[in-house]
Amino acid sequence: MDLQTITYVVVGASFALYIGIAIWARAGSTSEFYVAGGGVHPIANGMATGADWMSAASFISMAGLISNMGYGGGLFLMGWTGGYVLLAMLLAPYLRKFGKFTVPQFIGDRFYSKSASTVAVICLLTASITYVIGQMTGVGVAFSRFLGVTNDTGIYIGMGIVFMYAVFGGMKGITYTQVAQYVVLILAYTVPALFISLQLTGHVLPQLGLGGTLVGTDVSLLTRLDQVVTDLGFGKYTTSVPGSTLNMFVYTVSLMIGTAGLPHVIVRFFTVPKVKDARSSAGWALVFIALLYTTAPGVAAMAKYNLISTVNSAVATDGDLYAADASLEADKRPAWMKRWEQTGLLKFEDKNGDGRIQYYNDKTTNAEAKAKAEAAGWKGNELTVNPDIIVLANPEIALLPNWVIALIAAGGLAAALSTAAGLLMAISSAVSHDLVKNVIAPDISDKNELLVGKVAMAFAIVLAGYLGLNPPGFAAGTVALAFGIAASSLFPAIMMGIFSKKMNKEGAIAGMLSGLFITLLYVFAHKGLFFIKGTEFTGLIGGPNSFFGITPEAFGAIGALVNFAVAFLVDKVTKEPPEHIQALVESVRIPRGSKAVDGAH
């Protein structure tokens, strides 16, 4: 059976499974629609959280960025996993004990203000829609390659599929669909990694293969990779950092605290019966997440090595990388390159007309590499590879069996669609429950509340799909922007709501608005107003990365500092919260509550 047919069969079967589960577990009440009735087993919830957590950015883009950036790409690993631990240990159990199943509802009740709840809805929608754009970018990448359609068509198909199982199934359908999606995505990620690690290093586990020696040599994979990339003018793989060390630190912090403020992950802790189960499912989720995140560095390094050795035969033989016959002949390039060229995500241009593909850093400051390239007659880098394709192309580059390639296609789509569905649930509940039900129309019936939620979900899918056609960056870069928005607006309010009983509504509202505004100002200056290309205004803020060299993806941590500072300043000049609110905060922090929380819905 040919690759395309196998891909259709595997991906089609996985979609049929997801839609079948959504129909079987469809929501019959608002409680089932928003929190799956609060009866999900902790292990199942841990798997669903893992799938919700590991988005297109984790599955498709993260290893690609690590492959591209080297050591500096580790900030995604540190930021996202560290942030999950922060969420699981510091926030989730307390929020679950508080008994409110959405972030705006918690903020509205804790800060005794519908205005605070409304501001939280605005922050949540801004972060979640930005996040969904990243998922749609990943969906477009996966569909365009494996279903033989254009990137745009891939996004349209993904929009339709997410709409079907998210709108019909609600949180109950999404939860059990995500359990299936976790199984698909983790197999899709680890099986090719096991094959490639064994092929290159003789170690079946990529975690060990990363530090192992290359088969048939006494040189380690990382040592050889360092040597190759520096000879070709790239930064040293094991030491390079994105920008300054300050930017890397701030970027990591932004991802961490942004993670802890993401509403679609927080709501998962309300789908279990008890506070004790929330802690247990958090632990299980960490185990399930670690399976992929500890594999990613090995996948990244091995993909980098395989890509360069495909284009330059001297990599495997330890020969002269600049020799005339070392570069790959364009007419003999492998089939996988031709397939990815059709998507526009891999491009080849013969700049020196020699019929071969030269892949190196033509902007290098390495004088030796530059001199060797000029002496060899190279006229510039001729191969452009989008980092988002690295994981999906990895089994093709390594010439693995067709069924493995088809499996990774299904896994990439599962990762993107599972997170998109969770985000859409957060958007739906924020609009229908927190805005319409709690603020605009308190007397709305359950049936109409569900209808409003589904309409909001449909609108969000269309908007995210439209913006996904022209995303502000790679999948992981776009997701990092969403984390920054959550970090600057929601995380401080949640932290102060739990751990500062003196924080009042005026301080919380002022903090959220100021953190959101300063972050969006910096982001939009670089990425365009509402991510519309051509509307950038970096000149008004002193130029690109003008704030101490910090990139817009990392700016969320600065926005969070502004949020905290403004909140405490305003709190000092306004009256403190009522006594019953302070008593409520005190009771939530007491380490009890293993029983079910009354009034959670």
Side-chain angles (χ1 to χ4, degrees):
M1 194 181 295
D2 66 273
L3 175 58
Q4 197 64 54
T5 304
I6 293 176
T7 302
Y8 282 135
V9 169
V10 173
V11 172
S14 67
F15 284 172
L17 175 65
Y18 307 152
I19 293 170
I21 291 173
I23 294 170
W24 165 74
R26 62 186 180 276
S29 66
T30 52
S31 174
E32 288 186 342
F33 188 81
Y34 291 129
V35 289
V40 180
H41 191 278
I43 296 179
N45 194 55
M47 294 179 80
T49 303
D52 211 353
W53 176 258
M54 291 183 291
S55 64
S58 292
F59 188 100
I60 296 174
S61 199
M62 180 177 67
L65 283 172
I66 296 172
S67 180
N68 213 33
M69 298 164 65
Y71 165 77
L75 66 89
F76 293 99
L77 290 170
M78 294 184 291
W80 284 334
T81 51
Y84 181 80
V85 173
L86 185 66
L87 168 63
M89 300 297 293
L90 276 184
L91 303 183
Y94 298 109
L95 289 172
R96 178 64 182 84
K97 189 177 178 185
F98 195 89
K100 303 302 178 183
F101 62 77
T102 69
V103 169
Q105 195 176 2
F106 164 75
I107 289 176
D109 287 7
R110 162 59 184 86
F111 295 110
Y112 51 98
S113 167
K114 289 185 176 180
S115 296
S117 176
T118 303
V119 171
V121 168
I122 293 168
C123 297
L124 183 150
L125 292 177
T126 306
S128 296
I129 289 173
T130 304
Y131 203 158
V132 178
I133 295 170
Q135 306 318 302
M136 289 303 171
T137 304
V139 167
V141 170
F143 269 121
S144 64
R145 161 61 192 89
F146 293 107
L147 298 188
V149 298
T150 65
N151 192 67
D152 291 3
T153 303
I155 288 175
Y156 295 138
I157 295 172
M159 288 164 63
I161 290 170
V162 172
F163 180 83
M164 284 182 67
Y165 74 78
V167 171
F168 295 150
M171 182 56 86
K172 185 178 179 184
I174 285 172
T175 295
Y176 293 107
T177 302
Q178 285 176 334
V179 171
Q181 286 170 327
Y182 175 78
V183 174
V184 171
L185 77 86
I186 202 65
L187 286 174
Y189 202 87
T190 54
V191 168
L194 299 179
F195 271 107
I196 295 168
S197 179
L198 189 62
Q199 192 181 75
L200 283 179
T201 68
H203 291 285
V204 70
L205 295 178
Q207 292 90 337
L208 298 177
L210 179 63
T213 57
L214 291 166
V215 171
T217 75
D218 58 357
V219 179
S220 73
L221 168 66
L222 289 176
T223 299
R224 181 64 181 140
L225 193 53
D226 268 345
Q227 179 188 344
V228 169
V229 295
T230 51
D231 282 352
L232 291 173
F234 297 100
K236 196 172 182 180
Y237 190 82
T238 55
T239 58
S240 60
V241 298
S244 64
T245 305
L246 171 65
N247 183 68
M248 186 173 177
F249 172 76
V250 174
Y251 205 148
T252 306
V253 171
S254 181
L255 292 177
M256 282 184 66
I257 62 176
T259 294
L262 284 175
H264 76 290
V265 177
I266 289 173
V267 75
R268 292 238 58 94
F269 297 101
F270 295 94
T271 62
V272 291
K274 306 172 186 175
V275 176
K276 178 183 177 182
D277 294 332
R279 294 182 187 275
S280 177
S281 65
W284 278 110
L286 194 57
V287 172
F288 294 133
I289 289 167
L291 289 177
L292 187 146
Y293 270 60
T294 57
T295 305
V299 169
M302 292 171 196
K304 182 88 169 181
Y305 180 84
N306 275 338
L307 174 64
I308 299 175
S309 61
T310 299
V311 181
N312 196 310
S313 60
V315 171
T317 61
D318 197 16
D320 180 6
L321 299 173
Y322 293 92
D325 59 349
S327 297
L328 177 68
E329 290 183 56
D331 291 341
K332 294 182 180 179
R333 65 192 187 278
W336 71 264
M337 292 183 73
K338 295 175 183 177
R339 290 192 290 261
W340 278 104
E341 282 173 40
Q342 293 172 6
T343 69
L345 299 171
L346 183 147
K347 298 174 184 176
F348 160 61
E349 179 188 359
D350 191 1
K351 294 180 179 178
N352 64 351
D354 66 351
R356 293 178 177 271
I357 301 174
Q358 278 86 45
Y359 179 59
Y360 71 112
N361 181 12
D362 52 6
K363 299 179 178 63
T364 184
T365 56
N366 181 334
E368 184 180 353
K370 187 177 290 187
K372 286 182 179 179
E374 290 174 356
W378 292 7
K379 302 296 183 184
N381 179 51
E382 298 178 346
L383 184 69
T384 304
V385 182
N386 186 309
D388 282 348
I389 79 169
I390 290 295
V391 170
L392 297 179
N394 206 17
E396 295 181 89
I397 298 171
L399 304 177
L400 296 185
N402 285 348
W403 67 267
V404 180
I405 298 171
L407 180 63
I408 206 162
L413 292 168
L417 297 176
S418 62
T419 302
L423 288 162
L424 291 167
M425 276 309 307
I427 292 168
S428 171
S429 60
V431 173
S432 62
H433 192 77
D434 300 318
L435 195 60
V436 175
K437 175 76 172 178
N438 289 345
V439 179
I440 299 172
D443 298 327
I444 191 172
S445 66
D446 279 2
K447 182 178 179 181
N448 287 336
E449 183 186 340
L450 284 177
L451 178 62
V452 170
K454 290 177 179 180
V455 170
M457 197 182 286
F459 177 77
I461 291 172
V462 173
L463 178 61
Y466 171 75
L467 292 171
L469 296 172
N470 293 287
F474 303 122
T478 305
V479 167
L481 294 174
F483 277 68
I485 293 168
S488 64
S489 57
L490 294 174
F491 172 76
I494 296 170
M495 282 291 288
M496 292 183 291
I498 294 172
F499 296 105
S500 174
K501 64 181 182 180
K502 296 291 186 181
M503 179 53 62
N504 60 21
K505 63 181 179 181
E506 291 85 1
I509 292 171
M512 283 189 289
L513 288 175
S514 59
L516 180 65
F517 174 77
I518 195 72
T519 302
L520 287 181
L521 177 68
Y522 199 75
V523 168
F524 287 163
H526 290 81
K527 305 293 183 180
L529 286 170
F530 302 102
F531 307 125
I532 297 172
K533 288 180 170 58
T535 59
E536 299 85 357
F537 52 93
T538 51
L540 296 179
I541 62 167
N545 306 335
S546 54
F547 190 81
F548 297 101
I550 293 173
T551 58
E553 292 84 1
F555 198 76
I558 306 302
L561 290 176
V562 171
N563 187 327
F564 278 118
V566 170
F568 280 106
L569 284 173
V570 171
D571 177 63
K572 293 299 181 186
V573 296
T574 49
K575 62 181 182 181
E576 64 182 32
E579 285 295 330
H580 73 278
I581 294 294
Q582 295 188 45
L584 174 66
V585 175
E586 191 70 36
S587 68
V588 166
R589 292 213 307 266
I590 294 173
R592 290 195 313 246
S594 58
K595 296 181 181 179
V597 179
D598 294 329
H601 314 302

